[in-house]
Amino acid sequence: MHTAHRLLAAALTGAAALGLTGCLPSEPFPGRQGSHVLNDSATALRGASTFTMSGTTSRQGVSTQVNLSISSTGECKGAMSAQSGGTIDVVRTRNHTFLRGDEAYMLAQTKDMPEEQTSQARKEMSGRWTRTENSDPSMKGLTLLCDRDGLLRELYSVPYAEKGALTKIDGQEAVTINTTQGVFLVATKGEPFLLKMATSGPNPIDLAFTGINKPVQVDVPADKDVYNPADNS
């Protein structure tokens, strides 16, 4: 029995020397505090040429489902839910925002109109885009969503951030950063991109970040597909 014990001990020692006993994961970002890792993740994502954010944002008690691809130049494309109901397609260039509502959105927008006007409005606007200057105050909410720097800037001041457990999201290894404001997942391989954020408070956010550095093609709708009230006056 003593011989067996010695052989087993020798085998384990040899395995350790070869690095075969490393079952426990090493600490991600050794020497970096949670707040520093979170700062690095915001910097990395802000430095990406593009990314897609999807999930839920809330403002003044109103939740919005979003799926928007955003470029470093402020261009945006994707879709978002409307407060009144339905879904809106979004194309945002540097100067203009184009919006196109689906059938549910059109029904919600015209439900209180006289029947004759309802029928006319749906006929004229169905499947067509509206064009608005980005400077228009009504575009403020969308401007905030498409403002990647503004969205990520607040991460630099999140207090009490601590590194937590390792996890995976969409096949990517990530470290959990726990804070008083919510939970953040940061990629541990390659660039330390922020992959997900779930915050609490009066304006909670639950967003995932994917498609990082993948090209985003923003096609401006053709004039014939843009609704112009003057054409029907």
Side-chain angles (χ1 to χ4, degrees), residues 1 7 21 39 44 50 63 71 87-88 125 134 231:
M1 292 295 293
L7 291 174
T21 58
N39 289 350
T50 61
S63 294
S71 75
T87 301
I88 301 173
M125 299 185 65
N134 287 344
D231 294 339

Side-chain angles (χ1 to χ4, degrees), residues 25-45 161-167 169 172-178 184-196:
S26 59
E27 178 193 359
F29 307 110
R32 299 288 287 168
Q33 296 180 1
S35 58
H36 296 156
V37 174
L38 191 56
N39 289 350
D40 291 345
S41 75
T43 298
L45 197 56
E162 294 184 354
K163 288 184 291 187
L166 287 174
T167 185
I169 176 170
Q172 289 182 271
E173 184 184 89
V175 61
T176 304
I177 305 295
N178 299 304
F184 304 82
L185 300 184
V186 178
T188 60
K189 307 296 183 184
E191 290 287 318
F193 291 122
L194 177 66
L195 301 179
K196 185 174 176 61

Side-chain angles (χ1 to χ4, degrees), residues 33-163:
Q33 296 180 1
S35 58
H36 296 156
V37 174
L38 191 56
N39 289 350
D40 291 345
S41 75
T43 298
L45 197 56
R46 288 177 73 180
S49 59
T50 61
F51 61 78
T52 296
M53 67 176 189
S54 56
T56 305
T57 68
S58 298
R59 187 173 180 80
Q60 299 178 342
V62 178
S63 294
T64 301
Q65 293 288 329
V66 301
N67 189 303
L68 295 170
S69 296
I70 303 171
S71 75
S72 58
T73 57
E75 296 176 321
C76 237
K77 69 175 292 187
M80 57 189 292
S81 63
Q83 182 179 351
S84 58
T87 301
I88 301 173
D89 293 327
V90 176
V91 171
R92 178 184 169 89
T93 65
R94 295 186 182 185
N95 299 313
H96 296 94
T97 296
F98 299 83
L99 303 175
R100 180 178 62 186
D102 63 3
E103 184 177 357
Y105 174 79
M106 289 299 302
L107 288 172
Q109 291 296 305
T110 58
K111 66 179 182 178
D112 296 326
M113 296 171 59
E115 184 175 346
E116 183 178 340
Q117 293 182 19
T118 297
S119 177
Q120 183 68 16
R122 291 176 184 168
K123 179 180 178 181
E124 293 173 356
M125 299 185 65
S126 180
R128 303 180 75 186
W129 300 82
T130 60
R131 176 172 51 209
T132 308
E133 297 280 345
N134 287 344
S135 57
D136 191 306
S138 67
M139 292 294 103
K140 182 178 180 180
L142 183 60
T143 298
L144 292 173
L145 284 175
C146 291
D147 178 15
R148 52 189 286 155
D149 287 344
L151 178 70
L152 299 170
R153 189 179 298 121
E154 296 182 7
L155 298 186
Y156 293 106
S157 59
V158 174
Y160 310 114
E162 294 184 354
K163 288 184 291 187

Side-chain angles (χ1 to χ4, degrees), residues 205-228:
I205 293 175
D206 190 346
L207 292 173
F209 301 93
T210 58
I212 299 172
N213 286 326
K214 291 186 177 179
V216 173
Q217 173 123 8
V218 178
D219 296 318
V220 177
D223 287 341
K224 66 181 181 62
D225 296 325
V226 177
Y227 173 70
N228 184 354

